[in-house]
Amino acid sequence: MDVSLNSRNSFEIKRRQSAPEHLVDGAATLAADALSASTDEGEAAAAAAKPKKLGIAEFITRNFFTKKIKEQTPPTHSAPGWKLFGKIPPRENPQKDSKTIQQEYEARTGRMTKPSLQVGRRRNLEFEPLSTTALILEDRPAHLPAKNAEEAQRHRQEYDEMVAEAKKREMKEAQRRKKIMKERFKQEENIAHAMIIWNVDILPNWETIRNTRKVRELWWQGVPPSIRGKVWSLAIGNELNITHELYEIFLSRAKERWKSFRETGSENETEGADREASLELIKLDISRTFPSLFIFQKGGPYHDLLHNVLGAYTCYRPDVGYVQGMSFVAAVLILNLEEADAFIAFANLLNKPCQLAFFRVDHSMMLKYFASFEVFFEENLPNLFAHLKTNNLTPDIYLIDWIFTLYSKSLPLDLACRVWDVFCRDGEEFLFRTALGILKLYEGILVQMDFIHIAQFLTKLPEDITSEKLFACITTVQMQSSNKRWTQVFASLMKDGKEVEKNHSPALKS
């Protein structure tokens, strides 16, 4: 073993001596690596420890065929991952964007695109529509047939048409947004101006000028949101003489009842007979009150306030108790008033004749209200009235929900508050006038529907209804029939109960 090793070493020394002296260290190192691969590990370690030189043959080979050898080296892991033919090395780099990949592809293939025409085209546009970015006006890849001149021209024309159409739509949308913003700014200026008039001129002199023509016209345009609660409180009044201290008393009673209910798990029979504190129904209704706002549900900022007002009212009016729909009325008041003031307004509002009749489910009184409504319905919208009569669709199907919640559930919240503004000015008559305005707004659609579709449409009105359109229709509604106004028609029906019985509602009878 030692003999063979010495012979090899002597042979290696002669080869080094015959090599040129000016060989670079890098070439010597490569030769040493090649040699060490043919020996065992011990020989490789010994050979690597000494300076190495290459023979003349290897020197000539490496100098003349270096380029070819380099081209045969395998690709590194940093090469791009996309390759149509051949093996793809594993990706260790983060994913690259499409622009970087395209640049690397062009550098590797030596094929450059001509972006000048495309860049110039895009610079002339104010935007690049997303719907047209998939259409690239460039030559096809090398492995696909090239476009002919006619096809390229057609694609370019289609692209231009798509971009022009998208730009046209974008400009139209920008004009629409600009118009909306302009109207919004104008509305805000009007509200700011109206708020000054309300605070300086009207509210300090409420009792003397509330019924003047100027105030009523300003009232019709809508009360500024910042003082809406104050105006509503003054308009509704406090005929029941409820104080903040009285509210605290009934609230404490309600809390005691809730505590007892949690401990025993049920209310006693006397309370159930009196319709007082239907706690489960209140809890269920609160969770369904303005669900899109997420402020009255459990954990929301107004959940406890709404629960307090409704609970205190059930103790204050056990003869009425809690009825579905009350939560929406109380919620609107809570959004505009403090807790105790909201309770005072809520109790007095529900004490009005119309609301009391509906929330106490007084069938006789409700039928009279429906009969009065139909008188003005036939007067203002005879075609739609006849169509609903033909389909046996009675007013209670849609009016009950509208009146119970004072439109706060059926209309968008801001529009419902506009309705409340004028309702506080005109009273119950405006509730039925609003109903006629809604029917007039959608008369063209309703006359083409059958019973089922009319009922579905009126119980869930479109969400895109605007205050301008609705109040324009309400303005055209005339609350006068045979020279009789709403109060006179209703009074005459109160005297004549037989006429009401002829127009009774099957839904109420059940």
Side-chain angles (χ1 to χ4, degrees):
M1 182 67 181
D2 296 334
V3 174
S4 61
L5 179 62
N6 292 333
S7 61
R8 287 184 180 180
N9 291 338
S10 60
F11 175 75
E12 195 58 28
I13 292 170
K14 291 180 180 180
R15 290 185 61 185
R16 292 170 187 163
Q17 292 174 352
S18 63
E21 295 294 332
H22 62 276
L23 280 176
V24 295
D25 294 340
T29 305
L30 290 174
D33 292 341
L35 179 63
S36 63
S38 62
T39 62
D40 56 17
E41 294 180 359
E43 292 173 346
K50 298 180 180 181
K52 300 178 181 63
K53 295 184 180 180
L54 298 178
I56 187 66
E58 291 187 7
F59 170 75
I60 296 174
T61 302
R62 287 189 176 275
N63 278 275
F64 281 95
F65 300 99
T66 301
K67 184 175 182 181
K68 184 175 181 181
I69 293 172
K70 288 182 179 179
E71 290 178 353
Q72 292 177 353
T73 57
T76 61
H77 293 308
S78 62
W82 288 102
K83 193 171 183 181
L84 294 177
F85 304 102
K87 295 181 180 180
I88 301 175
R91 279 192 177 182
E92 296 181 357
N93 296 345
Q95 190 173 3
K96 302 176 183 179
D97 60 286
S98 59
K99 186 176 180 181
T100 304
I101 293 174
Q102 183 180 1
Q103 291 174 350
E104 291 180 354
Y105 170 76
E106 293 170 353
R108 188 170 66 252
T109 59
R111 173 177 168 272
M112 299 297 294
T113 58
K114 300 177 181 180
S116 57
L117 179 61
Q118 185 70 8
V119 171
R121 181 187 304 277
R122 293 185 179 179
R123 282 179 179 175
N124 293 332
L125 297 176
E126 296 178 358
F127 66 97
E128 180 68 18
L130 294 178
S131 60
T132 62
T133 54
L135 185 60
I136 303 176
L137 297 179
E138 295 178 355
D139 295 335
R140 289 183 178 138
H143 65 281
L144 294 177
K147 296 181 182 179
N148 55 42
E150 182 180 354
E151 186 179 10
Q153 180 65 26
R154 178 167 56 84
H155 287 174
R156 185 175 292 106
Q157 184 178 357
E158 291 175 355
Y159 179 82
D160 291 341
E161 291 175 356
M162 292 171 63
V163 173
E165 185 65 25
K167 186 174 182 180
K168 183 179 179 181
R169 289 196 301 267
E170 182 69 20
M171 291 178 64
K172 187 176 181 180
E173 179 66 18
Q175 291 176 355
R176 189 186 67 85
R177 290 196 300 266
K178 184 177 180 181
K179 182 179 179 181
I180 292 175
M181 291 300 296
K182 186 177 180 180
E183 292 177 353
R184 185 176 299 173
F185 290 148
K186 184 178 179 181
Q187 184 179 9
E188 291 176 356
E189 290 178 357
N190 293 336
I191 290 174
H193 179 68
M195 187 172 61
I196 297 175
I197 298 176
W198 279 96
N199 284 323
V200 176
D201 300 332
I202 300 176
L203 292 179
N205 307 293
W206 176 257
E207 294 299 334
T208 56
I209 66 172
R210 60 173 297 182
N211 292 321
T212 60
R213 182 177 179 180
K214 179 182 178 181
V215 174
R216 291 180 65 85
E217 289 178 355
L218 192 63
W219 209 332
W220 176 268
Q221 297 172 8
V223 179
S226 60
I227 59 171
R228 182 167 272 155
K230 179 66 175 177
V231 174
W232 287 357
S233 295
L234 292 172
I236 294 172
N238 188 12
E239 295 179 354
L240 300 175
N241 295 320
I242 302 175
T243 61
H244 288 203
E245 292 75 18
L246 188 62
Y247 167 67
E248 294 296 334
I249 292 173
F250 286 110
L251 178 58
S252 62
R253 290 184 185 178
K255 290 181 177 179
E256 291 176 1
R257 192 178 305 279
W258 297 331
K259 182 179 179 181
S260 175
F261 179 80
R262 284 193 295 269
E263 292 174 355
T264 61
S266 62
E267 299 174 276
N268 58 53
E269 296 180 358
T270 304
E271 293 170 342
D274 293 338
R275 304 176 61 201
E276 182 175 344
S278 181
L279 302 182
E280 286 300 321
L281 186 57
I282 292 177
K283 182 180 179 181
L284 179 62
D285 262 16
I286 289 178
S287 64
R288 298 183 296 194
T289 303
F290 296 118
S292 60
L293 299 181
F294 300 104
I295 57 177
F296 294 105
Q297 286 64 40
K298 190 171 183 179
Y302 293 101
H303 174 270
D304 294 340
L305 297 181
L306 183 56
H307 200 267
N308 291 345
V309 170
L310 295 175
Y313 182 78
T314 57
C315 293
Y316 174 70
R317 290 297 301 265
D319 58 320
V320 178
Y322 178 78
V323 182
Q324 280 186 311
M326 286 184 177
S327 61
F328 281 90
V329 178
V332 174
L333 292 171
I334 288 173
L335 290 174
N336 292 276
L337 291 164
E338 296 296 330
E339 181 178 345
D341 295 326
F343 174 80
I344 295 172
F346 181 72
N348 281 275
L349 181 60
L350 267 56
N351 197 52
K352 303 292 183 183
C354 181
Q355 279 63 50
L356 198 60
F358 276 81
F359 282 110
R360 296 183 69 173
V361 196
D362 188 336
H363 290 180
S364 177
M365 287 293 293
M366 292 172 71
L367 289 173
K368 292 179 176 63
Y369 277 108
F370 294 145
S372 301
F373 171 76
E374 287 188 314
V375 171
F376 294 95
F377 188 2
E378 186 176 13
E379 187 77 22
N380 286 274
L381 304 168
N383 294 333
L384 182 58
F385 177 80
H387 181 68
L388 267 59
K389 278 288 184 182
T390 304
N391 287 274
N392 296 318
L393 195 143
T394 52
D396 60 281
I397 293 177
Y398 50 91
L399 276 182
I400 286 180
D401 190 50
W402 294 355
I403 303 300
F404 262 93
T405 62
L406 300 180
Y407 297 97
S408 56
K409 180 182 177 182
S410 307
L411 298 176
L413 183 57
D414 57 338
L415 180 53
C417 289
R418 280 287 310 274
V419 173
W420 278 49
D421 290 341
V422 188
F423 163 63
C424 291
R425 187 194 77 170
D426 296 346
E428 64 187 35
E429 175 184 332
F430 188 74
L431 296 178
F432 297 95
R433 189 180 179 187
T434 301
L436 293 174
I438 295 173
L439 294 173
K440 185 177 180 63
L441 179 61
Y442 296 109
E443 180 181 12
I445 301 174
L446 295 173
V447 293
Q448 301 175 6
M449 295 181 177
D450 56 9
F451 176 90
I452 297 297
H453 292 90
I454 294 173
Q456 291 176 344
F457 185 88
L458 293 179
T459 51
K460 186 173 177 57
L461 296 172
E463 297 180 356
D464 59 349
I465 182 172
T466 61
S467 59
E468 291 78 10
K469 293 181 179 179
L470 178 58
F471 272 79
C473 293
I474 294 174
T475 305
T476 61
V477 174
Q478 300 296 324
M479 297 301 287
Q480 189 170 350
S481 176
S482 301
N483 296 325
K484 290 183 179 180
R485 299 194 61 83
W486 170 267
T487 53
Q488 295 172 324
V489 172
F490 183 77
S492 63
L493 290 175
M494 288 287 290
K495 295 178 181 178
D496 189 4
K498 294 182 180 180
E499 185 176 350
V500 177
E501 292 298 331
K502 291 179 182 179
N503 298 304
H504 73 278
S505 168
L508 281 176
K509 192 174 182 179
S510 61

